[in-house]
């Protein structure tokens, strides 16, 4: 295989998005839109991608920072697709034989199609291969003009096309394979004498023909793949297709989805086999979920690592947390960042945790806040327990050692340590460390006044 570099056009603002954020940085099924075509290019065998950036270039550069296989070229003024490629050429290595050109706003393009096109380009020995699709309504796209042998002789933009050309339904997808040496010379010579006063990349086809070099087309199997995103309606449509692909792949790998049309899983999420995902679940970030888990209705999981045999019940929110095997969470629990639950931990309804570690088999079953806490194994946290971790200025730690039983309605005023196997009586406000094996009780003794309510009547 010869060396292939890619150019991804992403300098435009995308005004139809009506957004303060540049179009290609809008998230689509997880990552920014531009991640999708870039990832497809690499998956198809491209070694290096040069992104043509302009509007909000620092946002695009920041997102790809640290990825040495991604380079950048600045196009300060958007003078057309041909001008964009001209700006990128100095960044393309001379030993690249073929340049793949694509757009940052076509997230549905697959690696399979790009691979097919690259193979076809190599086999036909064409100088230029253009990806095309045949549409029922070709309006707005460049039309593919061919000769009797099926060679591409020109690509004519909607605004420049004649009546006859406008009837052509085979359109330019905006994706090309071009021999690098020819491309470098051709884009240097482009002119902007057309309806939009732009430097059209499509004019390289005419240049190739003028020099007797072959231009071929490669029809994409599914025209849906070439859909570009121009506004937020098209972005939602594209996201729906990408989610369908993600869900389908997960299901084929052994994950059950009760209704995949209402399950929202980001690119990159991993879920083990025989796990079941219920309707309304949203799973984001680099979440990894093990085997035989149940992800309940309307659960929101982001940036978590969840082991095997975990049950996340309806309405729970889990953020940047680790969950050990056979743990049970929810319904309506909230694991905030820095939560680490060991095996068989139980977190019940209306329990919130934050920077909290819980040892094997510990339970907090109802109505509890555990923040900045280290909790040992086999600890029972009673209903209504609160770690009072914040004094208005600083956060303080609560340590609860193995085997402790915390009764209901207990406040632990941090910093405080409860020694192993201690028992905290219900209703206690713990303000001092509790030694191991002892009972802590802090509540006023009860007084019964007999006959009191009768006398009040
Ligand atoms: C282009 C093609 C058209 C094709 C269509 C497919 C040309 C002249 N026409 O038209 O034949 O059917 O794509 O979608 O190439 N961009 C830059 N810098 C620029 C101009 C554009 O980076 O100076 C980027 C845009 O941000 C966008 C992409 O290139 O991501 C395509 O540009 P756009 O103006 O949308 O091209 P079309 O007019 O749709
Ligand atoms: Ca245009």
């Amino acid at each position: 295989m010869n060396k292939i570099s890619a150019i991804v056009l992403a300098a435009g603002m995308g005004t139809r998005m009506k957004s303060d954020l540049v179009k290609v940085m809008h998230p689509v099924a997880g990552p920014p839109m531009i991640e999708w075509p870039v990832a497809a290019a690499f998956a198809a065998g491209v070694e290096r991608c040069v992104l043509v950036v302009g509007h909000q270039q620092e946002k695009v550069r920041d997102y790809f920072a640290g990825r040495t296989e991604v380079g950048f070229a600045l196009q300060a003024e958007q003078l057309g697709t041909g001008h964009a490629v001209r700006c990128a050429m100095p960044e393309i290595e001379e030993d690249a034989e073929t340049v793949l050109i694509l757009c940052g706003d076509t997230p549905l393009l697959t690696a399979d199609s790009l691979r097919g096109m690259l193979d076809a380009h190599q086999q036909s020995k064409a100088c230029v291969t253009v990806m095309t699709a045949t549409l029922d309504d070709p309006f707005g796209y460049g039309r593919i003009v061919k000769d009797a042998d099926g060679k591409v002789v020109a690509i004519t933009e909607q605004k420049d096309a004649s009546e006859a050309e406008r009837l052509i339904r085979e359109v330019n997808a905006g994706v090309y394979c071009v021999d690098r040496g020819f491309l470098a010379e051709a884009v240097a010579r482009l002119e902007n004498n057309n309806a939009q006063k732009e430097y059209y990349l499509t004019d390289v086809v005419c240049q190739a023909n003028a020099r007797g070099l072959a231009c071929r087309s490669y029809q994409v199997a599914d025209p849906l793949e070439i859909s570009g995103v121009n506004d937020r309606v098209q972005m939602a449509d594209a996201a729906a297709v990408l989610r369908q692909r993600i869900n389908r792949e997960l299901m084929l790998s052994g994950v059950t989805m009760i209704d995949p049309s209402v399950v929202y899983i980001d690119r990159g999420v991993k879920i083990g086999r025989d796990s079941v995902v219920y309707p309304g679940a949203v799973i984001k970030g680099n979440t990894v979920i093990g085997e035989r888990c149940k992800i309940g209705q309307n659960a929101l999981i982001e940036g978590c690592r969840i082991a095997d045999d975990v049950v996340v019940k309806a309405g729970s929110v889990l953020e940047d947390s680790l969950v050990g095997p056979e743990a049970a969470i929810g319904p309506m629990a909230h694991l905030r960042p820095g939560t680490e639950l060991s095996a068989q931990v139980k977190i019940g309804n209306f329990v919130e945790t934050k920077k909290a570690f819980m040892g094997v088999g510990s339970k907090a079953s109802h109505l509890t806040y555990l923040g900045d806490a280290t909790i040992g194994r086999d600890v029972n946290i009673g209903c209504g327990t609160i770690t009072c971790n914040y004094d208005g200025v600083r956060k303080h730690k609560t340590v609860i050692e193995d085997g402790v039983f915390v009764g209901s309605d207990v406040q632990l005023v941090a910093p405080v340590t409860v020694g192993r196997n201690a028992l905290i009586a219900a209703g206690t406000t713990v303000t001092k460390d509790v030694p191991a094996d002892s009972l802590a009780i802090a509540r006023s003794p009860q007084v019964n006044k007999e006959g009191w309510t009768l006398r009040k009547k």
Side-chain angles (χ1 to χ4, degrees):
M1 191 87 173
N2 65 16
K3 184 172 169 179
I4 309 157
S5 290
I7 296 174
V8 182
L9 308 188
M13 179 61 196
T15 45
R16 278 175 282 172
M17 293 294 283
K18 308 252 168 72
S19 175
D20 293 337
L21 181 65
V22 66
K23 176 167 72 180
V24 292
M25 288 307 289
H26 278 257
V28 180
M33 194 184 300
I34 191 171
E35 173 68 43
W36 291 94
V38 169
F42 283 122
V46 162
E47 285 180 44
R48 203 174 121 80
C49 265
V50 173
L51 313 186
V52 180
V53 289
H55 286 278
Q56 298 181 6
Q57 55 160 319
E58 63 300 331
K59 292 212 167 80
V60 185
R61 287 174 191 263
D62 283 355
Y63 174 75
F64 287 100
R67 280 162 68 172
T68 49
E69 73 283 15
V70 176
F72 300 92
L74 174 62
Q75 185 195 25
E77 238 189 313
Q78 283 73 60
L79 303 177
T81 49
H83 180 257
V85 170
R86 188 190 286 173
C87 294
M89 287 318 290
E91 298 299 319
I92 297 292
E93 286 154 327
E94 302 238 326
D95 60 342
E97 268 180 65
T98 304
V99 179
L100 173 67
I101 303 168
L102 53 163
C103 294
D105 59 1
T106 53
L108 299 183
L109 206 56
T110 63
D112 283 347
S113 295
L114 292 179
R115 220 175 282 123
M117 184 189 193
L118 287 161
D119 288 348
H121 180 72
Q122 240 177 350
Q123 273 164 24
S124 72
K125 299 197 164 57
C127 173
V128 181
T129 304
V130 186
M131 186 182 282
T132 68
T134 301
L135 305 181
D136 291 335
D137 177 14
F139 182 87
Y141 284 93
R143 306 298 207 282
I144 303 294
V145 182
K146 287 183 167 172
D147 67 12
D149 296 337
K151 285 189 180 145
V152 180
V153 293
I155 301 174
T156 310
E157 294 306 294
Q158 176 79 33
K159 288 181 180 156
D160 302 294
S162 66
E163 289 285 317
E165 286 167 337
R166 286 182 185 188
L167 295 175
I168 298 172
R169 286 169 48 227
E170 187 176 13
V171 303
N172 172 20
V175 182
Y176 318 80
C177 295
V178 191
D179 288 1
R180 189 199 56 80
F182 164 75
L183 182 64
E185 285 173 38
V187 291
R189 280 202 228 134
L190 288 175
E191 287 175 45
N192 65 348
N193 45 9
N194 52 54
Q196 304 186 80
K197 296 278 167 281
E198 285 181 12
Y199 295 89
Y200 286 169
L201 178 59
T202 44
D203 287 350
V204 303
V205 166
C206 300
Q207 287 194 37
N209 276 290
R211 290 214 237 156
L213 300 167
C215 296
R216 290 271 169 199
S217 62
Y218 176 81
Q219 274 251 17
V220 70
D222 182 358
L224 186 69
E225 280 194 36
I226 72 156
S227 325
V229 170
N230 293 308
D231 57 35
R232 296 192 202 227
V233 175
Q234 292 171 334
M235 183 163 74
D237 290 345
V241 173
L242 292 169
R243 280 197 305 268
Q244 250 171 43
R245 288 186 193 158
I246 292 168
N247 290 354
R248 188 184 147 77
E249 214 164 290
L250 285 167
M251 289 188 284
L252 290 174
S253 76
V255 175
T256 292
M257 293 186 190
I258 308 297
D259 180 354
S261 68
V262 288
V263 163
Y264 305 84
I265 300 179
D266 279 359
R267 177 189 178 91
V269 167
K270 296 190 175 64
I271 306 181
R273 56 192 285 165
D274 290 319
S275 286
V276 181
V277 183
Y278 283 77
V282 178
I283 309 175
K284 301 171 71 69
N286 297 315
T287 295
V288 178
I289 296 174
E291 300 185 354
R292 298 173 302 279
C293 291
K294 274 206 173 75
I295 307 301
Q297 204 163 326
N298 298 333
L300 167 59
I301 303 177
E302 178 154 21
C304 291
R305 222 157 235 285
I306 296 177
D308 297 337
D309 303 293
V310 169
V311 178
V312 177
K313 294 179 194 165
S316 297
V317 177
L318 286 69
E319 306 163 286
D320 300 318
S321 294
L322 300 176
V323 179
E326 295 175 50
I329 295 158
M332 286 159 291
H334 189 182
L335 307 188
R336 289 171 51 203
T339 296
E340 195 178 334
L341 307 180
S342 307
Q344 290 151 17
V345 163
K346 181 175 181 229
I347 296 290
N349 34 209
F350 306 109
V351 172
E352 173 181 345
T353 61
K354 185 218 75 177
K355 285 192 189 153
F357 173 88
M358 286 179 82
V360 177
S362 290
K363 294 185 171 70
S365 301
H366 338 263
L367 299 167
T368 287
Y369 174 62
L370 301 170
D372 303 293
T374 302
I375 296 164
R377 42 193 302 159
D378 298 316
V379 170
N380 181 79
I381 303 286
C383 175
T385 296
I386 298 168
T387 53
C388 309
N389 59 330
Y390 187 48
D391 60 13
V393 183
R394 289 170 53 201
K395 300 283 171 67
H396 302 283
K397 277 214 70 163
T398 299
V399 177
I400 301 175
E401 294 178 358
D402 295 348
V404 167
F405 184 96
V406 179
S408 295
D409 189 29
V410 164
Q411 297 85 55
L412 298 137
V413 182
V416 73
T417 297
V418 181
R420 54 197 312 252
N421 297 329
L423 189 151
I424 316 284
T428 294
T429 300
V430 180
T431 54
K432 295 187 293 199
D433 288 354
V434 178
D437 302 311
S438 36
L439 167 72
I441 180 164
R443 61 191 185 212
S444 31
Q446 181 171 333
V447 178
N448 291 337
K449 299 188 176 178
E450 284 188 31
W452 190 87
T453 57
L454 290 173
R455 285 198 296 280
K456 273 279 164 193
K457 275 182 185 158

